[in-house]
Amino acid sequence: MFESAEIGHSISKADWKARVPALREALLDAQYDLKQKADFPVLILIHGFDAAGRGETLNLVNEWLDPRLIHTVAFDAPNDEARARPWMWRYWRELPPKGRLGIYFGSYYSDTLFDRSEDEIGSAELDKQIADILRFERMLSNDGALILKFWFHLSKDAQKTRLKALEKDPKTAWRVSEKDWKHYALYDKLRKHAAHMLRLTNTAYAPWAVIDGTDHNYRSLAVGEAILAAIRARLDMAHTFLPRSDSPSLPAPIDHKLLLDTLVLDQVLDKAAYKNELDALQGRLNHLTRDARFAGHSLVLVFEGNDAAGKGGCIRRITQALDARHYRVMPVAAPSDEERAQPWLWRFWRHVPGKSHTAIFDRSWYGRVLVERVEGFCGPEHWMRAYYEINDFEHQLVADGAIVLKFWLATSAEEQLSRFQAREQTGFKRFKITDEDWRNRERWDDYKLAVCDMIDRTSTTQVPWTLVEANNKYYARIKVLKTVCEALEARLDAKSE
């Protein structure tokens, strides 16, 4: 994997001086064209052996380009906030927006490589994390991101020589730390596991460039020209970049029978029985979220459903039982300009709760396969691949200890009409009804088909959908609360066994 980077590549000083001015001008032109076009981001990952020139090259790239249009992040060991969430969370948050460059100095590859080389994880966990990385990079690429990955290489002897030279010079001695020598002692293991990692993640959509780090002129020109070539190739594409879909086509049932048609929507529960059950369930939920075992978990609740199906009422009955310091409700509307410049899941990644906390989504990432699909806000290639990305996201949450529950609140068209009319006639409820709600009723059948497809594609063993018959609001609230309590009890009891 690294043989060609150990043959002594070099560029003469004269050649360097002759080539750099044109390269810098071309890089700036490409950067400004990227800003102007603003339909894809560029993510550059800097990795490799200590003393191979990673930091110097990073500084040089920032010098050659307009730093106002670059988001550079240097990752170290995760802090408490990051450790309370899925391991990829801190990388999700720092992605560059469309039209900008982002540079990761160290990244998820560093976590994986050093954990394996220091025997913090075994081979099976290494390959699991590599699979997480592959899915993440594929998702970014399908969303249009240009991913460039650089591995700065040195042989073991070359690394030792360079570290000693830096340490000997008083002007550069500060650049060599105890950690650098510790990593040198791990060189053979780092090389072995890095070769395995690079081999498995050297994909067509996110390839690695292995750079010989012995010569400053060579490595700097090699990286600069690689960045320029990749950005310019994407900018100069004769056609619009089209992502691939990760899901096959969706055939409609030939008998036209849909899952939602099988629900018995008119369930019975009177007000007195509702109040008795509500008090008991809220107390039960409060105790569960204060249980010491919950400290190793988080709770993610997703509420989707027909307009006026009672999502807000269910959410209020849940939050009444929770400590206000430990939950957050996220009402989801159309994405902002900032959010549209990022991968579509980014605005949800940033609200992933930490351990012992609860996040409640009033509407959610499922808008991609519902309203955006039905209203044509994104094409089939986008919402089709969203099924895979949603399942992957939710399973990463579960793997990190989250208890993820998803509710679809279903009403009949007649019950929805009655509630719409009641809202229009009640002064303090008029804000709940909009022209868009009335317009959505005209697409009732289209939404029903989309919902059934969504449930079939995303109701997984670990994160199933709970369908709630919501014509009776009392019944719907109790069913939701019972489901939350039972899921918490099952997960907490399973961990204590």
Side-chain angles (χ1 to χ4, degrees), residues 145-217:
L146 177 60
I147 305 171
L148 308 176
K149 302 183 300 195
F150 295 98
W151 178 269
F152 289 74
H153 190 73
L154 286 176
S155 68
K156 190 174 185 178
D157 288 342
Q159 185 185 38
K160 184 177 182 179
T161 299
R162 183 159 171 77
L163 286 172
K164 284 189 171 182
L166 290 170
E167 202 171 46
K168 185 176 180 179
D169 187 339
K171 296 179 181 178
T172 58
W174 61 272
R175 291 168 55 185
V176 181
S177 67
E178 184 179 339
K179 182 187 290 187
D180 295 322
W181 286 113
K182 177 184 175 183
H183 291 169
Y184 171 74
L186 288 172
Y187 181 93
D188 292 334
K189 295 179 75 172
L190 286 168
R191 180 188 172 112
K192 172 186 173 182
H193 297 309
H196 176 75
M197 184 176 71
L198 267 64
R199 177 176 61 82
L200 293 182
T201 58
N202 188 41
T203 61
Y205 51 83
W208 281 99
V210 179
I211 306 295
D212 184 344
T214 54
D215 180 72
H216 169 276
N217 294 344

Side-chain angles (χ1 to χ4, degrees), residues 265 267-270 419 469-477:
L265 298 176
Q267 298 289 331
V268 177
L269 185 66
D270 63 36
R419 293 183 185 183
E469 304 87 342
N471 275 5
N472 183 325
K473 291 183 178 181
Y474 298 148
Y475 175 86
R477 294 166 186 172

Side-chain angles (χ1 to χ4, degrees), residues 26 29 31 68 89 137 185 230 236 288 291 301 310 314 321 350 360 371 379 392 412 440 449 459-460:
D29 287 342
Q31 187 182 20
R68 296 170 299 179
W89 176 79
E137 291 184 344
D236 293 344
L288 286 166
D291 190 305
L301 303 179
C314 289
R350 62 200 304 209
I360 303 174
V371 64
D392 183 45
S412 64
N440 288 345
L449 178 61
S459 193
T460 61

Side-chain angles (χ1 to χ4, degrees), residues 427-440:
F428 60 85
K429 290 186 178 181
R430 286 178 188 164
F431 76 95
K432 292 185 176 183
I433 186 74
T434 67
D435 291 340
E436 184 177 347
D437 295 325
W438 285 108
R439 186 174 57 81
N440 288 345

